[in-house]
Amino acid sequence: MNPTPWNARFRAFALALATLTAACADRDHPLAPVQPSGAPIEAARLACRVDVAAGRVRCGTPAGAGDARTLILGSQGVDVLLASIGSSSWADTFAIDVTVRNLIGQALGTADGSQGTAEGVRVFFTTPPLVTSGSGSVDVANPDGTGIFTAAAQPYFQYSGGDLGWDGMLEPYETSAARTWKFRLDSTVTNFSFLVYVSADVQHPNGWIDVLPGYSRVGIGGSTTLEARVFTRLGRPDSTGAPVSWASSNPSVATVDAWGVVTGVSDGLATITASTTSSRVGSATVRVRACLSLDVATCTWPTCRWAPSCACRATRPPST
């Protein structure tokens, strides 16, 4: 990766973890959550604790706000679920196999929602591991690389390509393949801790709007009402009640009012867009036809129910 300064990566998610302590006895189980501190989701961090002797890993949300320049995915089991599916230790090395599960409403590791990025999902260390019990030193033994995230030369583990499924991105509620994290430590180290974040591109860094229905047909002079459902960047319904503005790409074909009511003007296609001041956007397509029902040679009401004055000159519906 050609590192990009963190404050320029708006399509970024971050997840903070701390404190791992050697072997994981809870095989095939999620890392046990620590009681959340009550910090807002977008400023929450995850703390992970590993007890070397007991072989147990725990993760949860400790107190403290995250970096305001990033979207922080905290709350273990709410936004992201980190799970240990195996561990081992030998000589001067401790290793755990870690998976990442996406629990938000949009895919991680994609800029357009259709294909994964080369970077995928990266778990990076903000500081070197810290010995919290015992003596000696510990460091990351097998990072996939180093980059500039919140500072220079931060090691990371990368989940990309096949690690994230057939499409190379981590869909909502999808779990990644496991990656092995290795730490080099002195035999006198009993417990150690570290802080990591998860960085990934997303398609909707500001959130988005679902406009329903996504496609509709209306006759000239007829109308239909569209619904705008606003979501935050975490995929939660927006509860702020922010006003939605409506616009038509082709008012000569279809107009839309402030309440999402679309009126057909002339034959053709129009894209109706809903937006908020927080840069959340969504759209739907409306097809306007001079006559929507062509069952008979002469079209009369109610057969041509959307435009009773139209004259039908075909016996089969036109293609859309």
Side-chain angles (χ1 to χ4, degrees):
M1 172 180 87
N2 293 323
T4 302
W6 184 258
N7 57 3
R9 287 175 55 88
F10 294 103
R11 294 176 308 196
F13 280 76
L15 161 68
L17 298 86
T19 324
L20 265 113
T21 333
C24 179
D26 301 325
R27 185 179 180 86
D28 297 323
H29 289 281
L31 305 183
V34 175
Q35 183 64 33
S37 68
I41 286 178
E42 294 188 7
R45 294 185 177 187
L46 288 181
C48 293
R49 301 176 176 86
V50 180
D51 186 323
V52 177
R56 189 165 298 162
V57 182
R58 292 175 60 85
C59 283
T61 309
D67 190 331
R69 296 170 299 177
T70 68
L71 174 61
I72 305 299
L73 293 185
S75 303
Q76 170 82 336
V78 176
D79 300 327
V80 170
L81 183 67
L82 292 186
S84 169
I85 63 171
S87 66
S88 58
S89 60
W90 61 94
D92 62 348
T93 301
F94 164 69
I96 55 173
D97 296 326
V98 179
T99 62
V100 181
R101 190 181 189 200
N102 179 13
L103 297 181
I104 70 168
Q106 61 174 321
L108 298 177
T110 178
D112 58 11
S114 62
Q115 62 182 0
T117 60
E119 293 85 357
V121 176
R122 289 179 169 180
V123 184
F124 68 93
F125 293 73
T126 60
T127 57
L130 176 67
V131 175
T132 58
S133 179
S135 61
S137 63
V138 58
D139 58 24
V140 182
N142 67 328
D144 291 317
T146 61
I148 300 174
F149 298 94
T150 60
Q154 293 174 314
Y156 62 82
F157 290 105
Q158 179 169 306
Y159 296 76
S160 60
D163 296 333
L164 305 180
W166 67 270
D167 56 2
M169 53 189 181
L170 199 61
E171 300 281 1
Y173 304 103
E174 183 179 13
T175 300
S176 72
R179 298 298 311 277
T180 300
W181 299 10
K182 294 181 181 179
F183 299 88
R184 186 182 302 107
L185 69 164
D186 294 330
S187 60
T188 51
V189 174
T190 304
N191 296 272
F192 65 93
S193 68
F194 58 81
L195 187 66
V196 298
Y197 286 84
V198 172
S199 171
D201 283 351
V202 293
Q203 181 182 9
H204 305 290
N206 299 308
W208 72 94
I209 299 176
D210 280 346
V211 179
L212 302 175
Y215 177 84
S216 56
R217 298 176 68 186
V218 65
I220 294 174
S223 64
T224 186
T225 301
L226 302 180
E227 177 187 2
R229 296 182 181 179
V230 184
F231 294 89
T232 69
R233 52 191 172 181
L234 294 179
R236 280 48 156 177
D238 182 11
S239 59
T240 63
V244 174
S245 299
W246 295 90
S248 171
S249 67
N250 197 347
S252 64
V253 170
T255 61
V256 61
D257 67 14
W259 295 272
V261 178
V262 179
T263 301
V265 177
S266 64
D267 190 88
L269 287 170
T271 299
I272 307 300
T273 300
S275 62
T276 67
T277 56
S278 57
S279 300
R280 292 168 182 163
V281 178
S283 63
T285 300
V286 173
R287 182 71 162 104
V288 180
R289 301 295 294 186
C291 186
L292 294 184
S293 179
L294 302 177
D295 298 330
V296 295
T298 301
C299 186
T300 59
W301 186 268
T303 303
C304 190
R305 57 190 180 281
W306 295 106
S309 61
C310 70
C312 300
R313 293 182 174 85
T315 57
R316 61 183 179 85
S319 62
T320 58

